[in-house]
Amino acid sequence: MIQRLSKVIIGLWAFVSINVPIANAFAPTNSLINTRQDQFGLKLPSRTLRIDIQSFAKEEKAPVDDEKYNKTTLWDTMYDRLVDYHTERGTSWLPRAYEPDQKLANWCRTQRFQYQNIESGKPSFITKERIRKLEELDFLWFPRHIRWEEMFQRLVEYKGKNGHMRVTSVRPKSMYDPALANWCIRQRASYKAIQAGENTFLTPTMITKLEKLGFQWEGTYEGMWEESFRHLLAFKELHGHVHVTNYYAPNQPLANWCSGQRNNYRMSMISEERTKRLEDVGFIWNKRTGKWLISYHKVKIHKEKTGNWNVPKDYAGDRFLWNWCSKQRLNFKKGTLSEENIQLLNDIEFPWTL
């Protein structure tokens, strides 16, 4: 060992002292070797020195790129964690805030960012092999796909809580999810478009996931409409009319449904049979007319309860009702009140002057 180290030192000293290329330092001439031998009092065969120094140089290895090695190891480690998550949950989607493993959620966002860099022609460290491995787990690359998965998970939770997926039904507030209801409608509309040969955002994988959950593409909307109509009849029995305001706190889904019927009527997307059923119970297609009738029924109820037309300015039932009554008298004097509204007010003996 000491002899080998001595040989290495002589070779290195030769390189430094004469400032020659390393190859020449490790292959010195006989005269140079003799000179160094005289100075150090060592008797080393030139051939042995040349062979051992060259063999030592050959044994040197290229330095390891620790940073690259660590990054590769980290990526594989995180990928294995994602595989475990996928095996347990059946999906590779993690919410942005995932408390059990926030580091994995952040890592997934980084992969999407790097993939989108490729799509934009920007530098990215993600490789084709990594993309392939992630796609084997149905990894979601784009925001619209992530949003779809978020809503799908909400549907899974809704089914687990309520035992069904009729999310567009009129339900108590604690069981209703308007955003999810609209999402389900879009899934059915997209599926019908695919059946008609059109292109939509709905992928075969999405369709499979919905069908495995028991999602119904047909036949559910009819039952939902009937259920909402029954709630409208219950509203009429309670209030004496079917003019549900846009913001009806006790049953906001019913208000949304009524607005939807008006939109469908305006776009000729509601059947004649449903149109007739709604009109038979007094449904008003014009929102402005509906608002007028709501105030009309409030005045009528006030008269029935109190026996007089004295609606105070600070009326607890509706603080704007006094203004409404004053406006009807003013429009009557101007001649701008419709004959239909005049007749309705005359039917309840509304006083035109006070």
Side-chain angles (χ1 to χ4, degrees), residues 61-80:
K61 297 181 180 179
V64 177
D65 187 346
D66 290 336
E67 184 179 359
K68 180 178 180 181
Y69 176 78
N70 290 337
K71 284 183 178 180
T72 302
T73 303
L74 175 61
W75 195 94
D76 291 334
T77 300
M78 298 305 295
Y79 177 78
D80 289 341

Side-chain angles (χ1 to χ4, degrees), residues 142-199:
F142 299 103
R144 63 179 180 274
H145 294 157
I146 297 171
R147 177 60 177 167
W148 189 93
E149 187 64 28
E150 290 175 347
M151 297 305 296
F152 177 77
Q153 293 301 323
R154 280 169 68 168
L155 181 62
V156 172
E157 294 174 3
Y158 184 94
K159 182 181 180 182
K161 179 180 179 180
N162 303 302
H164 61 79
M165 289 181 286
R166 298 190 303 273
V167 288
T168 53
S169 306
V170 178
R171 293 287 181 183
K173 188 174 182 180
S174 60
M175 298 174 58
Y176 192 77
D177 189 337
L180 183 59
N182 293 331
W183 182 82
C184 289
I185 292 173
R186 290 197 299 271
Q187 307 315 300
R188 294 187 175 99
S190 297
Y191 184 80
K192 289 181 180 179
I194 290 174
Q195 298 298 101
E198 301 176 14
N199 293 324

Side-chain angles (χ1 to χ4, degrees), residues 280-299:
D280 286 347
V281 298
F283 193 81
I284 302 298
W285 301 110
N286 185 284
K287 284 186 178 181
R288 182 174 297 180
T289 301
K291 290 180 180 179
W292 190 93
L293 287 172
I294 290 172
S295 297
Y296 169 81
H297 281 283
K298 287 182 178 179
V299 169

Side-chain angles (χ1 to χ4, degrees), residues 182-293:
N182 293 331
W183 182 82
C184 289
I185 292 173
R186 290 197 299 271
Q187 307 315 300
R188 294 187 175 99
S190 297
Y191 184 80
K192 289 181 180 179
I194 290 174
Q195 298 298 101
E198 301 176 14
N199 293 324
T200 73
F201 67 87
L202 203 61
T203 66
T205 300
M206 293 175 179
I207 293 173
T208 300
K209 293 181 72 171
L210 286 167
E211 290 178 344
K212 284 184 177 179
L213 189 62
F215 191 78
Q216 298 294 320
W217 302 109
E218 301 287 349
T220 56
Y221 182 72
E222 184 71 26
M224 296 170 189
W225 194 94
E226 292 295 337
E227 188 173 356
S228 297
F229 183 74
R230 287 194 295 272
H231 280 268
L232 183 65
L233 295 179
F235 179 92
K236 181 178 181 180
E237 184 177 351
L238 180 62
H239 299 281
H241 61 86
V242 293
H243 316 304
V244 185
T245 60
N246 289 341
Y247 303 100
Y248 179 57
N251 198 338
Q252 186 59 44
L254 179 59
N256 296 340
W257 181 81
C258 289
S259 296
Q261 303 313 300
R262 293 188 179 94
N263 291 336
N264 291 340
Y265 180 83
R266 186 172 61 253
M267 296 184 291
S268 301
M269 294 177 60
I270 188 171
S271 66
E272 293 182 3
E273 185 264 340
R274 286 181 178 173
T275 300
K276 184 177 185 305
R277 290 179 64 184
L278 287 168
E279 290 177 347
D280 286 347
V281 298
F283 193 81
I284 302 298
W285 301 110
N286 185 284
K287 284 186 178 181
R288 182 174 297 180
T289 301
K291 290 180 180 179
W292 190 93
L293 287 172

